[in-house]
Short mmCIF file of all heavy atoms in Angstrom, two decimals:
data_model
loop_
_atom_site.label_atom_id
_atom_site.label_comp_id
_atom_site.label_asym_id
_atom_site.label_seq_id
_atom_site.Cartn_x
_atom_site.Cartn_y
_atom_site.Cartn_z
N PRO A 12 12.47 -23.69 -18.86
CA PRO A 12 11.72 -23.29 -20.06
C PRO A 12 10.39 -22.63 -19.73
O PRO A 12 9.81 -21.96 -20.60
CB PRO A 12 11.50 -24.62 -20.78
CG PRO A 12 11.48 -25.64 -19.68
CD PRO A 12 12.45 -25.16 -18.65
N ALA A 43 -5.89 -20.71 -10.05
CA ALA A 43 -6.27 -22.08 -10.40
C ALA A 43 -6.05 -23.03 -9.24
O ALA A 43 -6.81 -23.99 -9.05
CB ALA A 43 -5.48 -22.54 -11.63
N ARG A 47 -9.10 -25.28 -7.17
CA ARG A 47 -9.04 -26.73 -6.96
C ARG A 47 -9.24 -27.12 -5.50
O ARG A 47 -9.45 -28.30 -5.19
CB ARG A 47 -7.68 -27.26 -7.46
CG ARG A 47 -7.50 -27.18 -8.97
CD ARG A 47 -8.22 -28.31 -9.68
NE ARG A 47 -7.65 -29.59 -9.30
CZ ARG A 47 -6.60 -30.16 -9.88
NH1 ARG A 47 -6.00 -29.54 -10.90
NH2 ARG A 47 -6.16 -31.32 -9.49
N ALA A 59 6.82 -29.09 -2.62
CA ALA A 59 7.85 -28.13 -2.25
C ALA A 59 8.77 -28.66 -1.16
O ALA A 59 9.96 -28.31 -1.11
CB ALA A 59 7.20 -26.82 -1.79
N LEU A 72 10.79 -13.62 -9.56
CA LEU A 72 9.40 -13.85 -9.17
C LEU A 72 8.46 -13.25 -10.21
O LEU A 72 8.72 -12.19 -10.79
CB LEU A 72 9.13 -13.23 -7.80
CG LEU A 72 9.92 -13.80 -6.62
CD1 LEU A 72 9.47 -13.17 -5.32
CD2 LEU A 72 9.78 -15.32 -6.54
N GLN A 96 -8.46 14.86 0.84
CA GLN A 96 -9.30 15.36 -0.25
C GLN A 96 -10.45 16.23 0.26
O GLN A 96 -11.26 16.72 -0.53
CB GLN A 96 -9.88 14.18 -1.04
CG GLN A 96 -8.83 13.31 -1.68
CD GLN A 96 -9.42 12.13 -2.42
OE1 GLN A 96 -10.15 12.28 -3.40
NE2 GLN A 96 -9.10 10.93 -1.96
N LEU A 106 -16.84 0.90 -4.97
CA LEU A 106 -16.22 -0.17 -5.75
C LEU A 106 -16.01 0.24 -7.20
O LEU A 106 -16.81 0.98 -7.78
CB LEU A 106 -17.08 -1.42 -5.72
CG LEU A 106 -17.44 -2.01 -4.35
CD1 LEU A 106 -18.32 -3.24 -4.54
CD2 LEU A 106 -16.19 -2.36 -3.56
N GLY A 146 -23.44 -13.83 -0.80
CA GLY A 146 -24.27 -13.59 0.37
C GLY A 146 -23.60 -13.94 1.68
O GLY A 146 -24.23 -14.48 2.59
N PHE A 155 -13.61 -17.15 3.59
CA PHE A 155 -13.62 -17.20 2.13
C PHE A 155 -12.36 -16.57 1.53
O PHE A 155 -12.21 -16.55 0.31
CB PHE A 155 -14.87 -16.49 1.59
CG PHE A 155 -16.14 -17.21 1.94
CD1 PHE A 155 -16.74 -17.06 3.18
CD2 PHE A 155 -16.74 -18.07 1.02
CE1 PHE A 155 -17.91 -17.73 3.50
CE2 PHE A 155 -17.90 -18.75 1.33
CZ PHE A 155 -18.49 -18.58 2.58
N VAL A 156 -11.48 -16.07 2.37
CA VAL A 156 -10.23 -15.46 1.91
C VAL A 156 -9.14 -16.52 1.89
O VAL A 156 -8.94 -17.24 2.87
CB VAL A 156 -9.82 -14.29 2.82
CG1 VAL A 156 -8.45 -13.75 2.44
CG2 VAL A 156 -10.87 -13.17 2.76
N LEU A 162 -0.56 -4.87 -3.87
CA LEU A 162 -1.02 -4.40 -5.18
C LEU A 162 -0.72 -2.92 -5.32
O LEU A 162 -0.92 -2.15 -4.38
CB LEU A 162 -2.52 -4.69 -5.35
CG LEU A 162 -3.17 -4.35 -6.68
CD1 LEU A 162 -4.28 -5.36 -7.02
CD2 LEU A 162 -3.77 -2.94 -6.69
N ARG A 173 -10.74 13.43 -16.31
CA ARG A 173 -11.45 13.70 -17.56
C ARG A 173 -12.62 12.74 -17.77
O ARG A 173 -13.71 13.15 -18.17
CB ARG A 173 -10.48 13.57 -18.73
CG ARG A 173 -11.10 13.84 -20.10
CD ARG A 173 -10.14 13.43 -21.22
NE ARG A 173 -8.87 14.14 -21.12
CZ ARG A 173 -7.80 13.83 -21.86
NH1 ARG A 173 -7.85 12.83 -22.72
NH2 ARG A 173 -6.68 14.51 -21.72
N THR A 195 -0.83 -17.05 2.72
CA THR A 195 -2.11 -17.66 3.09
C THR A 195 -2.56 -17.17 4.47
O THR A 195 -1.75 -16.77 5.30
CB THR A 195 -2.01 -19.19 3.08
OG1 THR A 195 -0.90 -19.60 3.89
CG2 THR A 195 -1.82 -19.70 1.65
N ASP A 212 11.99 5.92 -5.46
CA ASP A 212 13.44 6.14 -5.42
C ASP A 212 13.93 6.33 -3.99
O ASP A 212 14.79 7.17 -3.70
CB ASP A 212 13.83 7.35 -6.28
CG ASP A 212 13.71 7.08 -7.78
OD1 ASP A 212 13.62 5.90 -8.16
OD2 ASP A 212 13.70 8.06 -8.56
N GLY A 213 13.34 5.56 -3.07
CA GLY A 213 13.76 5.59 -1.68
C GLY A 213 13.08 6.63 -0.81
O GLY A 213 13.23 6.60 0.41
N GLY A 254 -1.32 10.40 0.96
CA GLY A 254 0.02 10.65 0.45
C GLY A 254 0.18 10.46 -1.04
O GLY A 254 1.30 10.61 -1.56
N VAL A 255 -0.91 10.13 -1.76
CA VAL A 255 -0.79 9.97 -3.21
C VAL A 255 -0.38 11.30 -3.83
O VAL A 255 -0.68 12.39 -3.32
CB VAL A 255 -2.09 9.45 -3.83
CG1 VAL A 255 -2.40 8.06 -3.32
CG2 VAL A 255 -3.26 10.39 -3.55
N VAL A 257 -1.22 13.15 -6.38
CA VAL A 257 -2.16 14.16 -6.84
C VAL A 257 -2.69 15.02 -5.71
O VAL A 257 -3.16 16.15 -5.93
CB VAL A 257 -3.33 13.49 -7.61
CG1 VAL A 257 -4.24 12.70 -6.67
CG2 VAL A 257 -4.12 14.51 -8.43
N GLU A 266 7.93 10.02 -12.77
CA GLU A 266 8.71 10.28 -13.97
C GLU A 266 9.33 8.98 -14.47
O GLU A 266 9.56 8.05 -13.71
CB GLU A 266 9.80 11.31 -13.66
CG GLU A 266 9.26 12.67 -13.22
CD GLU A 266 10.36 13.64 -12.91
OE1 GLU A 266 11.54 13.29 -13.10
OE2 GLU A 266 10.05 14.77 -12.47
N GLN A 269 11.76 6.08 -12.63
CA GLN A 269 11.67 6.03 -11.18
C GLN A 269 11.26 4.63 -10.70
O GLN A 269 10.49 3.94 -11.36
CB GLN A 269 10.70 7.08 -10.66
CG GLN A 269 11.24 8.49 -10.78
CD GLN A 269 10.38 9.52 -10.07
OE1 GLN A 269 9.17 9.57 -10.27
NE2 GLN A 269 11.01 10.37 -9.26
N GLU A 274 5.26 -1.81 0.00
CA GLU A 274 5.63 -2.80 1.00
C GLU A 274 4.56 -2.90 2.08
O GLU A 274 4.05 -1.89 2.56
CB GLU A 274 6.96 -2.42 1.64
CG GLU A 274 7.53 -3.48 2.56
CD GLU A 274 8.98 -3.23 2.91
OE1 GLU A 274 9.52 -2.15 2.54
OE2 GLU A 274 9.60 -4.11 3.56
#
Side-chain angles (χ1 to χ4, degrees):
R47 292 281 297 273
L72 297 184
Q96 299 178 63
L106 304 179
F155 293 82
V156 174
L162 183 146
R173 180 191 303 171
T195 53
D212 288 345
V255 296
V257 71
E266 298 179 4
Q269 289 189 309
E274 188 167 6

